[in-house]
Amino acid sequence: MRMTLQFLGATEEVTGSCHLLTVEHERLLLDCGLIQGGKADELRNHDSFAFEPASLAAVVLSHAHIDHSGRLPLLVKAGFTGPIYTHKATVDLCAIMLKDAAMLQSRETDRQNKKRAKHDLDPLEPLFTVEDAEQAISQFVALEYGQVMQVIPHVDICLSDAGHILGSALVELWIGEGKAQKKVVFSGDLGRAGMPILRDPTRVSTADLVVMESTYGNRFHRSWTDTLIELKGIFAKAVTESRGNILLPAFSVGRAQELMYLFYLYAKEWDMARWKICLDSPMAIEATEVYIKHYALMDEEFKRFARKYPGQHPLHENIEFIRTTDESMALNDIHQGLIIIAGSGMCNGGRIRCHLEHNLWRPECDVIICGYQALGTPGRALVDGAEELTIRGNRIKVAANIHTVGGLSAHADQAELLRWYHHFEEQPPVILVHGESEAQQGLVEVLKQDPKTKPKQVAIATRGDCLDLNALPKLVWIPG
């Protein structure tokens, strides 16, 4: 029986997750994510798929983040008609996120077409439309954690909590039949143990192959205790010395809700009463309601807290929800005492751009970077020490205080990735995806050197690589 796994996205980069499983004549896609970064990176989203979308029997989606789900409407537009299997909470989040992505695509295309019309150039079409997104959403099939499902002939899957965002899943796949059957574990994006709101990532003990993310494969996050001390210090200094506003570019799903919860938990300790705290993101507001709806998926501490204070949900307390454009623009008239949580998390779109334009040049203001920043994004430029950003055609001097708080990351760091791998018996081979080259090389080195984790083989996937699953546990690549 022919069984292959081809790596078509998030190879030696973090975004655009996409992997093609072929079993005999059936094809299954793991993730179908949008490529994010600079303009050149994002243009690659317009490239044709490396396979015929109509030939796919099904898709399995690890979680809702757009770098894993964002090309699903394009896949449907190109002819895919099959089911999209994912966790039930991811279905609800994607119903928000994919339509939002479509509206952003349409707005950006309209903006470009106005410029093109001045030069008598043909108009462009958006990557996909709201109708494409709605059609993709109609093809979702909701699963529970722990539910075993046959998704194509000779392939069963089971989703387990990855602890990254609400509904995030690592995927166990049993491929083939009888003694020739192989088990592949796809990590998706792995979260971190002990983080607020979500449960810890599920540990898996058996696999013939582990396909593992490596976003922070060469990095160590600050401890949670030190991260809380760091945040308290930033807020205290902003009150006593800076006396400006604080901007938090945040992913609308996951990071925004985590920040809201922290501001509630530490309201007294961090002296939050001094601040007007605003969540300026319609999508994050909708996502927050999904988090509340799927209350049963949260960690025990969060559930105990909510039971103790019924009717006082911590994701609704002390935060002003900013829904309209006019309400968002009105925040620009406030010059101090304001905390704004807004998307996008990498500062490459959304309302945070407007707030950066009005605050980034002010030395009394602070910007807290609290998530991964892809190469080529404005957020990455801030992390790397840029002296100015171009926003809506205007050059904005970077005079605000820039803080990179890595301890808030929803991705496992090197030590946490190793601990997760420790639980596999017999050290199955590992293929690294979803990481930049430097991070991946760092993780390869420690995997090979640590006798406790040393796998039979470890490799970094490059785009187009195709693995013969029949040969496992040996990694045998099929020539392209």
Side-chain angles (χ1 to χ4, degrees), residues 333-350:
D333 295 328
I334 302 174
H335 301 296
Q336 63 181 25
L338 178 64
I339 295 175
I340 303 175
I341 306 168
S344 68
M346 298 185 192
C347 307
N348 54 349

Side-chain angles (χ1 to χ4, degrees), residues 197 261 295 298-306 313-315:
I197 299 182
Y261 184 43
Y295 171 81
M298 307 306 180
D299 66 17
E300 290 305 314
E301 181 181 359
F302 186 87
K303 286 190 284 190
R304 280 197 303 272
F305 181 89
H313 201 284
L315 295 186

Side-chain angles (χ1 to χ4, degrees), residues 349-378:
R351 293 181 177 179
I352 195 64
R353 301 276 287 172
C354 181
H355 297 307
L356 287 170
E357 188 174 11
H358 285 82
N359 292 275
L360 193 60
W361 54 272
R362 301 173 58 214
E364 66 270 26
C365 292
D366 295 85
V367 179
I368 302 176
I369 303 294
C370 52
Y372 178 79
Q373 307 297 312
L375 283 169
T377 61

